[in-house]
Amino acid sequence: MKFKIFSILGAVLCGFLAAIATPIESEEPNELKFRFAPKPYLFDPLPKLKESSNVTRYYHFELKVVKLSPDGYERPVWTVNGQYPGPLIQANKGDRLVVNVTNNCGDPATIHWHGIFRPGTFWYHSHYYAQYVDGLVGSFIVHDPEDPYCHFYDEEYVITVSDWYHSPSGPLLVKLLEPKYDGKNPYPDSSLISGVGQYNCSEEPGCYCNPNVPPATYNVQKGKKYRFRIINTSANAGFAFSIDNHPLKVIEVEGTPVKNVNASVVNVLPIHIAQRYSVIITADKPCANYYIRANNIQDCLRTDNTTINYNPDRNLNAVGILHYSCAGSNKPKSTPYPTNITDCFDINDDVIRPYKDSPAPSIVTDCFTFRVTQEKNDDLVKLFGINNSSFEPAFNDPTNKRIMQGDDFTKFDENQNAYGYDNPEGCVQITLFNSLDGNHPFHLHGHLFWMIAQGNGSHHANITKYNLENPIIRDTAMIPKHGHLVIRYIADNPGVWAFHCYIEWHVEMGLVAQLIERPSEFSNQTLPNEVRELCVQYNSYEKQRRSTALPRDSTVNRMRMPIFRRIKN
């Protein structure tokens, strides 16, 4: 798999990247120890890339299942090169990357290169069922010598925040998709900062659990400035991120630098699923240790006592440590900033206005209205949908393959949620309404977008004004409960792009639309034979899966997925 940064990427929702293989056996769980061994990039400053011209960078990924204990509790984890989070990919603008992937997980896998269209903070993760919830994630950083803030700091770090589940996602999905289940999304067991958390092992006596996992620790020198690239890799949770006594100067949102204004300095940063921010902190406080906090925003979880794994007494707030090199090893005594973040809304727009003014297009060539819907199908399975249609993935015959074969997307089955537009360099507007009582972070593959409206009210009459002069630019935005979201983007990237909620449980429940961009041009492309062969391999895999038992801890082996039928009107 090869691509050049900022060229058109061929990554789609269901393109399989590696052949099926036998999983590597994990070590036997008969020894109580902390098995998580993070690689240096998580807690050491990012190495500086010194090349003066563009280069080709090679990476080898081996996907395999190993037993790890990120929060102390041991479980099978889907990993890249045996680690969670996976290895760092780091490049300069214009570099060519070659990523060789060997899949030894025992199940199919995909890798989605999330949001890579310009320099900035990104991530990669599986997009096959809920594999990324089981650990198949990593950071992807692209540097730009013309970044307006590249000389504002001395060193930079990557921080990930995430919810975490002790059960693999397969059994949780089976429960979630059982007929007549009326609860909410599975409740996490803990929260992690950079793949590290502290679970209360007394909750599950008799299990293999280490109660002494050290917190994620980031070292700073007094007087220096640090860029922290923060990525939310959760399945369900939004977080209020902060570092005690250290204000956060926001300088980037999802690849877009933001204005250098007073409003961009915040004490507490709300960050929702799949969103990314860069902030600068100044290590100018007394020599001591200070807590790094990722506090769960309860309104994002929306749970009750009928919810899978529900435990209201469980602590879902994660802590790390900002350690001054001149301080000792004492436990921090710092106190948190006051926070009133109780809802699941995005950060205030004034914090993340683009560094360079970028008015949204005023002329729209293609307009779509989507409604987030939820109903039970004929089997009494609760599903989400776009305009009353729940998406069904066609793993063995994906849409990009069909378009290249000349198929007419307007004749696709309704459950493909296929919407197309064919105006070269046209402007697409998507109006998304949500009449339900939960918030949904929506991500657009293949594009950044101008967010021209966001707010309460789930009808056109509630949208009183579009901000076309100075809208924010990002690739993941929240549609509020009983609210609306309106985005625009230029149709300059022919392909098949997913537009979906980033609550992973909702993806598996069908909250996905496919956007087929400029099919007249895209249909002239040729699908490489090695990619076409993956579909053949998947067909063979499916036949084998039905006739034989899959390896222990296999995701798909645990998936008794019902046949998704169209949601009733």
Side-chain angles (χ1 to χ4, degrees):
M1 174 175 48
K2 304 176 182 179
F3 58 85
K4 185 172 182 179
I5 298 298
F6 318 124
S7 64
I8 295 175
L9 304 184
V12 295
L13 184 63
C14 299
F16 289 91
L17 299 178
I20 315 306
T22 303
I24 293 177
E25 288 296 323
S26 304
E27 58 183 308
E28 291 300 319
N30 56 8
E31 193 176 336
L32 182 61
K33 64 178 181 179
F34 183 47
R35 290 185 171 85
F36 176 70
K39 298 298 180 183
Y41 89 87
L42 286 169
F43 304 117
D44 289 346
L46 291 183
K48 290 179 170 53
L49 304 180
K50 301 184 182 299
E51 294 85 357
S52 58
S53 60
N54 295 139
V55 299
T56 298
R57 302 182 188 276
Y58 294 88
Y59 292 86
H60 176 73
F61 284 0
E62 181 189 12
L63 312 184
K64 58 183 179 180
V65 180
V66 299
K67 286 192 171 71
L68 299 178
S69 45
D71 62 354
Y73 183 93
E74 186 179 75
R75 57 150 290 181
V77 178
W78 275 248
T79 70
V80 179
N81 297 352
Q83 67 182 86
Y84 168 74
L88 168 72
I89 292 180
Q90 190 175 205
N92 287 322
K93 177 181 178 180
D95 283 353
R96 176 175 175 265
L97 299 179
V98 178
V99 185
N100 297 307
V101 182
T102 301
N103 182 0
N104 286 319
C105 280
D107 296 320
T110 67
I111 294 182
H112 169 51
W113 312 101
H114 185 113
I116 302 168
F117 314 108
R118 61 176 65 186
T121 304
F122 312 102
W123 60 308
Y124 62 87
H125 60 84
S126 173
H127 235 323
Y128 180 70
Y129 285 125
Q131 272 177 349
Y132 94 73
V133 181
D134 294 315
L136 214 167
V137 301
S139 304
F140 196 143
I141 308 302
V142 183
H143 302 277
D144 183 0
E146 298 178 358
D147 182 342
Y149 293 105
C150 64
H151 299 298
F152 278 54
Y153 52 89
D154 300 289
E155 304 283 357
E156 57 184 307
Y157 285 109
V158 172
I159 289 183
T160 63
V161 295
S162 179
D163 51 20
W164 188 246
Y165 301 80
H166 291 168
S167 167
S169 60
L172 297 177
L173 283 171
V174 167
K175 294 178 181 178
L176 183 66
L177 296 170
E178 283 181 348
K180 300 183 180 181
Y181 174 71
D182 286 319
K184 303 297 193 299
N185 305 321
Y187 198 75
D189 290 287
S190 65
S191 297
L192 310 177
I193 292 179
S194 297
V196 176
Q198 292 77 43
Y199 179 66
N200 181 2
C201 292
S202 64
E203 288 192 21
E204 300 190 53
C207 296
Y208 295 99
C209 188
N210 176 14
N212 300 308
V213 177
T217 301
Y218 288 84
N219 300 310
V220 297
Q221 296 182 30
K222 188 174 176 63
K224 286 191 173 183
K225 293 185 177 183
Y226 295 84
R227 178 178 188 159
F228 283 85
R229 298 176 179 267
I230 311 162
I231 308 169
N232 186 336
T233 65
S234 294
N236 193 26
F239 290 96
F241 180 89
S242 64
I243 302 176
D244 292 355
N245 296 53
H246 292 76
L248 310 174
K249 181 177 181 59
V250 182
I251 62 169
E252 176 221 347
V253 54
E254 293 152 26
T256 299
V258 304
K259 285 188 181 298
N260 184 8
V261 294
N262 291 335
S264 68
V265 179
V266 299
N267 293 332
V268 181
L269 177 73
I271 180 168
H272 301 293
I273 308 169
Q275 294 183 339
R276 294 94 61 209
Y277 295 96
S278 282
V279 302
I280 293 177
I281 69 159
T282 303
D284 58 356
K285 301 301 182 285
C287 288
N289 296 317
Y290 300 85
Y291 278 122
I292 301 171
R293 302 179 189 271
N295 289 346
N296 181 268
I297 301 174
Q298 280 295 314
D299 189 53
C300 294
L301 288 181
R302 291 190 63 252
T303 55
D304 55 36
N305 58 10
T306 65
T307 294
I308 300 164
N309 201 34
Y310 180 67
N311 184 347
D313 298 323
R314 186 173 294 142
N315 179 20
L316 296 182
N317 295 332
V319 294
I321 294 176
L322 186 75
H323 169 68
Y324 275 63
S325 59
C326 54
S329 58
N330 294 331
K331 185 177 179 179
K333 297 180 180 179
S334 60
T335 56
Y337 283 110
T339 176
N340 58 357
I341 298 178
T342 57
D343 55 41
C344 200
F345 295 165
D346 278 331
I347 193 169
N348 187 292
D349 289 2
D350 291 335
V351 177
I352 54 173
R353 298 289 180 197
Y355 187 84
K356 296 180 179 179
D357 290 337
S358 180
S362 58
I363 299 176
V364 174
T365 59
D366 300 274
C367 195
F368 301 96
T369 298
F370 296 153
R371 286 194 175 273
V372 177
T373 53
Q374 185 179 39
E375 293 287 350
K376 289 187 177 181
N377 67 6
D378 295 339
D379 297 320
L380 299 181
V381 175
K382 184 169 63 176
L383 300 174
F384 281 96
I386 297 291
N387 295 342
N388 293 312
S389 178
S390 185
F391 174 71
E392 290 186 42
F395 293 122
N396 61 341
D397 195 21
T399 299
N400 57 339
K401 174 172 172 269
R402 296 181 66 183
I403 296 297
M404 289 182 189
Q405 293 174 164
D407 288 6
D408 182 355
F409 72 87
T410 64
K411 297 179 181 179
F412 285 9
D413 289 345
E414 188 172 8
N415 60 23
Q416 291 301 287
N417 288 1
Y419 298 84
Y421 42 94
D422 216 0
N423 289 297
E425 305 300 319
C427 175
V428 181
Q429 175 172 305
I430 296 177
T431 302
L432 187 62
F433 290 119
N434 175 22
S435 59
L436 306 178
D437 60 355
N439 302 54
H440 299 275
F442 261 76
H443 170 57
L444 175 62
H445 289 217
H447 291 279
L448 295 167
F449 54 71
W450 290 274
M451 193 177 77
I452 62 172
Q454 182 188 47
N456 296 320
S458 57
H459 299 281
H460 284 284
N462 302 121
I463 306 174
T464 58
K465 183 180 180 181
Y466 291 150
N467 179 3
L468 302 181
E469 295 182 4
N470 63 342
I472 65 172
I473 299 172
R474 61 189 317 164
D475 63 42
T476 308
M478 189 69 74
I479 176 171
K481 54 189 175 184
H482 305 291
H484 61 266
L485 173 69
V486 186
I487 66 172
R488 287 184 185 176
Y489 60 94
I490 298 297
D492 57 2
N493 196 3
V496 179
W497 307 114
F499 182 54
H500 65 94
C501 174
Y502 234 97
I503 297 174
E504 182 59 21
W505 312 116
H506 294 178
V507 172
E508 304 307 327
M509 299 168 77
L511 194 44
V512 179
Q514 295 190 89
L515 302 174
I516 302 172
E517 185 164 321
R518 292 161 64 174
S520 294
E521 296 171 61
F522 185 41
S523 62
N524 294 325
Q525 302 290 323
T526 300
L527 192 68
N529 288 334
E530 58 268 28
V531 176
R532 191 183 303 274
E533 180 62 25
L534 293 176
C535 295
V536 177
Q537 292 182 27
Y538 185 79
N539 288 336
S540 299
Y541 165 80
E542 273 292 290
K543 292 178 182 177
Q544 180 184 11
R545 182 176 75 90
R546 293 189 181 99
S547 61
T548 62
L550 286 179
R552 179 169 52 92
D553 294 326
S554 167
T555 303
V556 182
N557 189 43
R558 293 164 179 261
M559 294 292 292
R560 295 182 291 103
M561 299 295 290
I563 297 175
F564 290 171
R565 297 194 178 97
R566 183 176 181 273
I567 295 176
K568 299 175 183 177
N569 288 319

